[in-house]
């Protein structure tokens, strides 16, 4: 190759390298058989390791939960859980929560985004937990939002919640599938799915969720992080904003935010019914925890209710819903 031509090749190669660097590539210039070749290597995603709590994930490069959520804050959020009138005295504690969370932090649980988003997700998740395990009422000491984690199981269930039509997770003789856990699990098929998710045999031993607080938190976190259906978002994705609504979602008024988490977890039992008490109490717990954590309820985000949202999974869709679903 003539010297002048070779110089042109080098100039063009360096120009290519500079352009690739500008768009985020990593360049390796290799001299092979007297000619320059540019090899563009894809930038590898950074991962971080922070010991037992979070390792092997890009999310571990952010703050972990123990960086911004301490024992005293857990005690403030659930101040009445160990009072004599509570129904799960001595059961729930901070260590059980953190031990469970460490399994999901590498997946982005309360480790997605900046510190404010992380704290907001923590309060959102615990807002569901507090509301669903509260024994507070309007005139209770400290107000109803101070009584989260008062229960760990349904009191006086009137049925065993066994649906024999589900053959994937059939009912086990003698087992009762009433509500248990931090976000209570009901029915054999939900115990089966949650058990598969956390790799514990909850189908045969649903009682584990009222015997072990770490497992109870794990089952709730698994539900938060896992879509009900593959084509739908998880509560986590809907809250942190990684979910992109379809046209059908937009028509159904389902948008990212706290409201969508209620739709995903409870569907038509509380959503699409206006501002009913069962929905309002969950929002109240979420905002109460935001205040206690120093974030403030003014940062509770857009779309925080599901009053007008159509459910993701209606049990008996109306004609209008069927029409909207067909357009997705």
């Amino acid at each position: 190759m003539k010297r002048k031509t070779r110089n042109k090749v080098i100039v063009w190669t360096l120009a290519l390298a500079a352009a690739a660097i500008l768009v985020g590539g990593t360049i390796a210039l290799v001299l092979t058989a007297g000619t320059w070749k540019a090899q563009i290597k894809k930038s590898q995603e950074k991962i971080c390791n922070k010991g037992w709590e979070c390792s092997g994930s890009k999310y571990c490069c952010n703050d972990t939960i123990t960086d911004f959520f301490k024992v005293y804050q857990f005690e403030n959020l659930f101040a009445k859980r160990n009072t004599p009138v509570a129904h799960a005295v001595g059961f729930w504690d901070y260590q059980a929560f953190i031990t469970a969370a460490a399994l999901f932090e590498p997946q982005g649980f309360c480790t997605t985004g900046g510190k404010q988003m992380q704290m907001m997700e923590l309060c959102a998740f615990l807002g569901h937990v507090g509301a669903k395990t509260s024994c507070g009422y309007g005139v209770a000491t400290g107000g109803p939002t101070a009584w989260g984690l008062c229960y760990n199981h349904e009191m006086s269930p009137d049925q065993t919640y066994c649906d024999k039509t589900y053959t994937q997770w059939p009912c086990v003789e003698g087992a009762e599938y009433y509500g248990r856990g931090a976000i209570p699990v009901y029915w054999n098929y939900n115990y089966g799915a949650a058990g598969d998710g956390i790799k514990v045999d909850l189908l045969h031993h649903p009682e584990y969720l009222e015997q072990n607080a770490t497992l109870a938190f794990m089952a709730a976190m698994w539900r938060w992080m896992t879509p009900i259906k593959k084509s739908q978002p998880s509560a986590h994705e809907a809250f942190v904003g990684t979910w992109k609504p379809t046209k059908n979602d937009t028509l159904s008024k389902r948008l990212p935010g706290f409201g969508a988490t209620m739709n995903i977890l409870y569907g038509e039992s509380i959503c699409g019914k206006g501002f009913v008490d069962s929905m309002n109490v969950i929002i109240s717990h979420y905002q109460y925890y935001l205040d206690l954590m120093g974030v403030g309820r003014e940062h509770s985000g857009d779309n925080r209710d599901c009053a007008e949202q159509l459910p993701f999974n209606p049990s008996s869709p109306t004609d209008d819903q069927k029409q909207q679903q067909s357009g997705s």
Side-chain angles (χ1 to χ4, degrees):
M1 180 184 293
K2 293 182 179 180
R3 183 181 184 87
K4 189 173 182 180
T5 302
R6 186 170 60 186
N7 287 342
K8 286 183 178 180
V9 171
I10 292 173
V11 169
W12 279 106
T13 300
L14 293 175
L16 175 63
I21 289 171
L22 287 174
V23 297
T26 302
I27 298 300
L29 295 177
V30 182
L31 181 62
T32 305
T35 61
W36 288 93
K37 292 183 179 179
Q39 295 181 344
I40 303 176
K41 297 181 179 179
K42 291 183 179 179
S43 299
Q44 292 187 347
E45 191 173 71
K46 182 181 179 181
I47 62 172
C48 295
N49 296 304
K50 293 187 177 178
W52 65 270
E53 188 178 0
C54 196
S55 294
S57 166
K58 66 178 182 180
Y59 298 109
C60 303
C61 300
N62 298 328
D63 285 345
T64 56
I65 294 176
T66 57
D67 289 328
F68 57 83
F69 187 48
K70 308 296 184 182
V71 175
Y72 79 90
Q73 292 166 306
F74 183 89
E75 297 297 327
N76 286 343
L77 267 57
F78 303 107
K80 302 294 185 180
R81 75 185 191 284
N82 288 326
T83 57
V85 296
H87 299 280
V89 174
F91 182 76
W92 304 103
D93 61 36
Y94 175 82
Q95 192 57 49
F97 174 80
I98 293 299
T99 301
L103 299 175
F104 296 93
E105 289 182 69
Q107 300 174 32
F109 176 69
C110 300
T111 51
T112 298
K115 185 176 180 180
Q116 179 167 299
M117 174 55 74
Q118 293 175 252
M119 295 177 74
M120 286 173 63
E121 184 179 8
L122 174 73
C123 295
F125 172 77
L126 292 178
H128 286 277
V129 170
K132 291 298 179 177
T133 59
S134 175
C135 57
Y137 49 93
V139 295
T141 304
T145 50
W147 289 82
L149 296 181
C150 176
Y151 293 106
N152 63 3
H153 66 277
E154 181 182 4
M155 306 298 288
S156 304
D158 58 2
Q159 59 175 309
T160 60
Y161 297 94
C162 169
D163 186 337
K164 295 181 179 179
T165 65
Y166 272 80
T167 56
Q168 183 178 0
W169 294 296
C171 303
V172 174
E173 185 176 355
E176 296 184 353
Y177 301 103
Y178 56 80
R180 300 177 178 89
I183 296 178
V185 181
Y186 296 84
W187 297 100
N188 51 299
Y189 47 86
N190 287 324
Y191 275 93
D196 286 357
I198 65 173
K199 296 179 171 53
V200 175
D201 186 4
L202 297 180
L203 190 65
H204 285 80
H205 298 285
E207 71 277 5
Y208 286 171
L209 295 190
E210 61 180 292
Q211 296 174 350
N212 186 304
T214 300
L215 292 181
F217 278 127
M218 284 171 58
M221 292 171 189
W222 172 83
R223 180 71 285 160
W224 179 262
M225 299 296 293
T226 307
I228 302 294
K229 294 181 179 179
K230 289 183 178 180
S231 60
Q232 297 173 359
S234 65
H236 163 76
E237 291 167 331
F239 185 80
V240 301
T242 55
W243 165 53
K244 304 303 179 186
T246 64
K247 180 181 179 181
N248 180 51
D249 290 320
T250 303
L251 290 172
S252 300
K253 299 186 178 180
R254 297 190 294 258
L255 298 170
F258 187 73
T261 70
M262 293 186 284
N263 194 330
I264 292 164
L265 296 176
Y266 318 118
E268 62 191 358
S269 66
I270 67 170
C271 293
K273 297 182 175 183
F275 288 89
V276 294
D277 288 345
S278 55
M279 181 194 73
N280 291 336
V281 72
I282 302 173
I283 298 173
S284 295
H285 278 78
Y286 167 47
Q287 294 182 322
Y288 174 68
Y289 295 156
L290 284 171
D291 287 341
L292 289 182
M293 288 294 293
V295 178
R297 65 184 58 213
E298 65 271 19
H299 297 296
S300 52
D302 296 330
N303 310 310
R304 59 179 170 267
D305 67 79
C306 62
E308 297 182 356
Q309 292 184 18
L310 296 181
F312 279 99
N313 299 300
S315 57
S316 54
T318 65
D319 290 340
D320 287 342
Q321 290 169 341
K322 288 178 181 177
Q323 183 177 359
Q324 289 185 14
Q325 289 167 354
S326 66
S328 60

